[in-house]
């Protein structure tokens, strides 16, 4: 199966093509893929690098979030449009799941954390069961100390930019370890959907948009 995957949810934008069970081309632009002109330019260059036309892609995948609202919409809409026009399949993968997948098979829970700004983090808890990544605790946005208090003290492997930022707080627990993973997620997304770990191509925002917050205040 030929897979095109993009991550447009953060400053670490990337795109990748997976063919025959292996990633054959990947692009990590110096500029974010949050904007459509960067995304489509990168996809053109990526397909040239892989030596495959867009019509030969079987599955179009994108990061679902959490991340930049604008960036996520661009990536999801682009992959959905490409697939719809060609009658092909789609899949989505959350950024937290893609980070967790990189940790691999470990004896314990995997806790990906992303910086959500405003003094908060995005976090979730997963377990790797063979080729399946299982969500144990759904994604949430909380203060770092508040989020960590919700977790049990047994063996856990933390990953992601948020884990690096709060490493000192995390490693006060003897059985908690911070694992370094790549913030460039497109290749991981392509691998995950190729192994049956994809989800619906729908946004995962977690935090309300500024427009939604403004509307709720106006209605209260």
């Amino acid at each position: 199966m030929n897979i095109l995957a993009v991550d447009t949810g953060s400053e670490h934008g990337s795109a990748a093509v997976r063919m025959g069970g292996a990633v054959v081309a990947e692009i990590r632009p110096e500029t974010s893929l949050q904007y459509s002109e960067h995304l489509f330019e990168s996809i053109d260059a990526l397909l040239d690098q892989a030596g495959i036309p867009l019509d030969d892609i079987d599955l179009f995948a994108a990061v679902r979030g959490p991340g930049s609202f604008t960036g996520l919409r661009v990536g999801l809409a682009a992959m959905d449009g490409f697939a719809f026009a060609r009658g092909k399949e789609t899949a989505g993968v959350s950024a937290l799941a893609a980070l967790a997948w990189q940790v691999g098979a470990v004896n314990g829970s995997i806790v990906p954390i992303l910086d959500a700004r405003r003094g908060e983090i995005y976090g979730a808890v997963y377990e790797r069961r063979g080729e399946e990544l299982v969500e144990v605790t759904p994604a949430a946005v909380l203060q770092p100390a508040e989020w960590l208090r919700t977790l049990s003290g047994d063996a856990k492997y933390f990953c992601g930019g948020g884990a690096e930022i709060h490493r000192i707080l995390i490693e006060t627990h003897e059985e908690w370890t911070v694992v370094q993973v790549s913030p460039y997620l497109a290749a991981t997304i392509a691998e995950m959907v190729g192994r049956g770990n994809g989800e619906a191509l729908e946004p995962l925002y977690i935090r309300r948009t500024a427009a939604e917050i403004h509307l709720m205040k106006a209605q209260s």
Side-chain angles (χ1 to χ4, degrees), residues 49-61:
Q49 181 181 329
I52 182 174
L54 192 62
D55 287 344
D56 285 353
I57 296 296
D58 302 304
L59 190 154
F60 294 86

Side-chain angles (χ1 to χ4, degrees), residues 29-119:
E30 292 182 4
T31 54
S32 172
L33 290 182
Q34 291 180 9
Y35 304 103
S36 59
E37 62 269 24
H38 296 152
L39 174 60
F40 294 114
E41 288 172 3
S42 295
I43 289 174
D44 286 341
L46 179 72
L47 294 173
D48 285 343
Q49 181 181 329
I52 182 174
L54 192 62
D55 287 344
D56 285 353
I57 296 296
D58 302 304
L59 190 154
F60 294 86
V63 72
R64 298 179 55 217
S68 159
F69 294 116
T70 300
L72 291 172
R73 285 195 295 267
V74 168
L76 292 166
M79 295 300 101
D80 189 49
F82 285 148
F84 180 79
R86 293 161 179 81
K88 301 296 180 67
E89 298 179 49
T90 62
V93 174
S94 84
L96 294 168
L99 291 169
W101 180 266
Q102 293 183 55
V103 175
V106 292
N107 185 23
S109 301
I110 305 172
V111 186
I113 297 178
L114 287 169
D115 181 16
R117 305 187 186 279
R118 308 179 194 173

